[in-house]
Amino acid sequence: MRRRLRLRGDASITLLLGTALGLLLYTQREGATPTTNAPRAQGKVEAAPTPGLRVFQARDADADAAPAPAPLVYEGDTPEPPTPTGPFDFGRYLRAKDQRRFPLLINQPHKCRGDGAPEGGPDLLIAVKSVAADFERRQAVRQTWGAEGRVQGALVRRVFLLGVPRSTGTDRTDAEGEGTRTHWPALLRAESRAYADILLWAFDDTFFNLTLKEIHFLAWASAYCPEVRFVFKGDADVFVHVGNLLEFLAPRDPAQDLLAGDVIVQARPIRARASKYYIPEAVYGLPAYPAYAGGGGFVLSGVTLRRLAGACAQVELFPIDDVFLGMCLQRLRLTPEPHPAFRTFGIPRPSAAPHLRTFDPCFYRELVVVHGLSAADIWLMWRLLNGPHGPACARPWPAAAGSFRWDS
């Protein structure tokens, strides 16, 4: 009997310790769970006096204090790009970094003309970075937030920015790879004839060549859209509430400088070779990048676009496009304007409600840009916000009755 009681006591203690250990592991797991779709930032973000401004604060140098987390760097700020990354050859980049003029293979020279455009130009030009294979994303943008025409009385036009697709797969023969490269131009030409919104340049469409898209688009817009009032530039995986964007721009003067978005300051370059955002000191030796707007989506005035086209032509190319644009702004002595409705990190869950579902029209109807959505997410949110019954906000049932239709 005494031995049986001892065994029961041991079993009870074991069960109690196991329960306590499980609760401890669960608590640690909950504390380590990210609250957004973007990569977690490394380090501490100090509150800034200006709403929407992200300040990346370096750790304090205190020998007696406990080791602090690593300072925030670019990788913690930037969501996954929509373009292929792959290994990056810095030697080749440094040898070819001064090559900045590539032919325009597909053009839309009449994009900003006619249709009653004020003073010959549209009120808003939407420019979306894309790659050849992302036809599904382009279709989602065309038929949702990026539709051309009149929105709240403003004339909206749209273009997609592409480079030449690289051969995919290392196990293919050279002939197959060449066949892949020659396959896409025919498809893009057909797409251009159908939608008249493709701009294709003759550089390889890689992540680090996004800077080439930046300078070529600035030059193109300055030449073919000289009277455009405002330009929104972003990725194909963003949702844009164009109505809110136009309300933000309504009191603005397109003849005054403006570049607004999710502004980041004091972001530090990554020195770890394993990172796809690795920048060696030979390429950039300063400890922090200039202030820049996250490349997921930002808006600029027509005059700023034309000034940037000139400034960027004088700034040495840098392999990260939004940081490069920050360098061009720095040359012009312009400061990007932070706006809290530009969410290049996605929508974070409130700390008081960590299990709250943030993919909800109640959130999206108040914002301008949300980054990191699939084509299906863009379709669905557009339907929820623009359905026949209005936004399904704080309702336990769908906004629209009946089955969902992709072509509606």
Side-chain angles (χ1 to χ4, degrees):
M1 177 64 71
R2 188 174 298 173
R3 183 171 179 272
R4 188 175 301 171
L5 291 174
R6 188 184 304 114
L7 290 174
R8 287 181 179 176
D10 292 343
S12 299
I13 293 174
T14 301
L15 180 61
L16 181 62
L17 291 175
T19 303
L21 179 60
L23 289 173
L24 177 61
L25 292 174
Y26 179 80
T27 303
Q28 290 179 344
R29 180 180 179 276
E30 286 297 298
T33 301
T35 57
T36 74
N37 293 329
R40 285 182 62 84
Q42 305 172 11
K44 182 180 180 182
V45 181
E46 298 291 345
T50 306
L53 184 66
R54 302 184 188 274
V55 180
F56 285 3
Q57 183 71 34
R59 60 184 176 184
D60 296 329
D62 188 352
D64 298 329
L72 286 166
V73 287
Y74 186 86
E75 189 168 23
D77 158 59
T78 307
E80 290 294 320
T83 52
T85 54
F88 184 64
D89 185 351
F90 265 102
R92 179 182 177 186
Y93 168 77
L94 291 173
R95 289 191 296 272
K97 67 181 179 63
D98 294 326
Q99 186 179 2
R100 57 168 71 214
R101 293 185 179 181
F102 290 84
L104 182 59
L105 304 178
I106 298 179
N107 191 11
Q108 308 298 333
H110 306 296
K111 173 58 64 174
C112 294
R113 299 180 187 173
D115 196 25
E119 300 181 4
D123 297 293
L124 179 66
L125 174 65
I126 295 173
V128 181
K129 294 174 287 185
S130 185
V131 293
D134 269 352
F135 175 77
E136 181 185 17
R137 289 190 184 275
R138 289 194 292 277
Q139 281 296 85
V141 171
R142 286 179 181 121
Q143 299 184 28
T144 58
W145 62 266
E148 294 189 313
R150 293 280 174 180
V151 180
Q152 298 178 185
L155 181 62
V156 178
R157 287 286 181 260
R158 174 197 65 240
V159 289
F160 291 97
L161 316 178
L162 292 87
V164 175
R166 298 180 66 178
S167 177
T168 58
T170 57
D171 56 342
R172 298 182 179 182
T173 64
D174 292 342
E176 289 173 333
E178 185 62 26
T180 301
R181 291 175 64 88
T182 57
H183 178 64
W184 286 110
L187 291 177
L188 290 176
R189 284 193 293 271
E191 187 176 346
S192 176
R193 288 192 296 270
Y195 299 103
D197 59 5
I198 297 295
L199 295 177
L200 174 67
W201 286 276
F203 52 78
D204 285 344
D205 209 340
T206 62
F207 172 63
F208 282 97
N209 276 352
L210 287 175
T211 301
L212 293 178
K213 282 189 183 180
E214 192 73 61
I215 62 173
H216 284 78
F217 168 69
L218 291 172
W220 179 88
S222 297
Y224 292 100
C225 294
E227 303 299 329
V228 64
R229 292 170 56 81
F230 295 98
V231 175
F232 173 83
K233 186 169 180 290
D235 292 338
D237 62 341
V238 300
F239 181 88
V240 182
H241 197 306
V242 177
N244 290 347
L245 177 61
L246 292 172
E247 287 182 12
F248 167 69
L249 296 175
R252 302 297 184 122
D253 183 357
Q256 299 295 320
D257 279 313
L258 170 70
L259 192 148
D262 188 0
V263 177
I264 300 98
V265 298
Q266 294 300 310
R268 304 184 68 170
I270 289 181
R271 304 304 188 192
R273 290 181 178 272
S275 172
K276 66 185 174 186
Y277 300 107
Y278 164 65
I279 298 294
E281 292 191 35
V283 174
Y284 188 83
L286 298 179
Y289 292 132
Y292 64 92
F298 58 87
V299 66
L300 65 160
S301 65
V303 68
T304 300
L305 179 139
R306 293 184 287 275
R307 293 188 65 198
L308 277 175
C312 289
Q314 303 174 44
V315 174
E316 185 173 344
L317 293 182
F318 188 74
I320 302 178
D321 62 325
D322 46 11
V323 175
F324 170 76
L325 201 63
M327 296 174 179
C328 300
L329 289 173
Q330 189 177 51
R331 183 177 184 86
L332 293 174
R333 297 184 179 181
L334 295 180
T335 302
E337 178 180 328
H339 195 295
F342 288 72
R343 302 296 180 92
T344 59
F345 281 85
I347 304 176
R349 296 181 180 91
S351 58
H355 302 292
L356 184 67
R357 293 175 61 252
T358 57
F359 188 78
D360 189 291
C362 300
F363 291 100
Y364 282 69
R365 70 176 183 175
E366 305 296 332
L367 299 175
V368 174
V369 176
V370 182
H371 195 194
L373 276 71
S374 68
D377 287 341
I378 293 173
W379 277 101
L380 179 57
M381 185 53 64
W382 179 260
R383 173 75 173 185
L384 292 174
L385 286 173
N386 298 276
H389 301 287
C393 191
R395 298 179 186 173
W397 55 82
S403 59
F404 180 80
R405 296 182 59 187
W406 290 94
D407 58 349
S408 58

